[in-house]
Amino acid sequence: MILYILLGIIAVIAIYLVTAYNGLVRNKNLVAEGWSGIDVQLRRRADLIPNLIETVKGYAAHEDKLFRDIADLRAKSISGGTVGEQSAVGQAMSQALGRLFAIAEAYPELKADANFRDLQDKLSGIEDEIQMSRRYYNGAVRNLNTMVESFPTNLIANQFGFGKAEFFEIGDAAAREVPKVDFKT
């Protein structure tokens, strides 16, 4: 009788270990899937930016520094990097694009240009997709990190090398503020 109880306890522990390990693997894969979604949207945005810049350049040639800054940020975005680096580049890109659109507001002919409006709409859609992908990714990271830190799955996570994942977030409070554009200078 004791042998059956002992075998039952061992079976329950083994089933729990397998289930917990599989849960960690599933959450790790969801994090990878979430990051892939963000990466796809960042690349779509990077591919659209040269067309947008060329459209605006004809109207606002004196904004050369902004165009160079956006080109540099685009190159950093394409080159990849850690989640934190991509988050910082993404935030800087959003701010630079906000300045670009603010400049475009000063040119009624540009705002009326169908190509510019189409590019602006596409970019707006991509920005929305980035936000949705970011929310999905951060949810997957939250779930993985909870399993990695919670007892008793943390014992399994430590044994098999599962670690916490990094959130894709805005790093500083200043980056959360809407950029101010002043044409008076």
Side-chain angles (χ1 to χ4, degrees):
M1 183 71 169
I2 294 178
L3 180 63
Y4 290 126
I5 293 173
L6 207 52
L7 286 175
I9 291 172
I10 290 172
V12 167
I13 290 173
I15 290 171
Y16 175 77
L17 290 174
V18 168
T19 303
Y21 178 83
N22 288 341
L24 286 164
V25 169
R26 182 178 53 253
N27 283 319
K28 180 181 172 190
N29 288 335
L30 287 173
V31 168
E33 176 190 357
W35 179 249
S36 175
I38 290 173
D39 192 47
V40 165
Q41 298 308 323
L42 292 175
R43 293 211 182 271
R44 283 182 61 206
R45 178 173 67 177
D47 291 344
L48 185 63
I49 287 172
N51 296 330
L52 185 66
I53 288 176
E54 287 305 315
T55 302
V56 176
K57 265 186 183 179
Y59 291 93
H62 63 281
E63 295 295 340
D64 195 45
K65 181 184 179 330
L66 176 62
F67 299 140
R68 282 195 312 271
D69 290 347
I70 291 174
D72 290 344
L73 289 169
R74 177 183 179 268
K76 287 178 185 175
S77 177
I78 290 173
S79 68
T82 66
V83 172
E85 291 168 347
Q86 282 293 329
S87 179
V89 169
Q91 182 57 39
M93 179 70 76
S94 293
Q95 288 178 340
L97 290 172
R99 289 192 309 270
L100 180 68
F101 287 134
I103 288 168
E105 290 292 319
Y107 297 92
E109 318 84 47
L110 177 59
K111 288 191 314 186
D113 184 273
N115 188 35
F116 175 76
R117 283 195 327 265
D118 181 51
L119 291 169
Q120 189 176 23
D121 289 344
K122 285 180 184 176
L123 189 60
S124 177
I126 290 171
E127 290 294 328
D128 291 342
E129 290 290 326
I130 290 171
Q131 291 305 315
M132 287 190 300
S133 297
R134 189 174 108 186
R135 282 191 296 272
Y136 177 85
Y137 171 80
N138 283 341
V141 167
R142 180 198 61 233
N143 293 342
L144 175 65
N145 290 350
T146 299
M147 284 191 79
V148 167
E149 293 178 332
S150 298
F151 182 81
T153 53
N154 65 341
L155 301 174
I156 298 165
N158 290 337
Q159 186 67 29
F160 290 101
F162 289 93
K164 289 176 60 176
E166 187 178 355
F167 285 100
F168 189 85
E169 60 188 355
I170 298 172
D172 59 9
R176 297 173 202 259
E177 295 180 18
V178 177
K180 293 182 176 121
V181 179
D182 183 11
F183 292 113
K184 296 175 185 170
T185 57

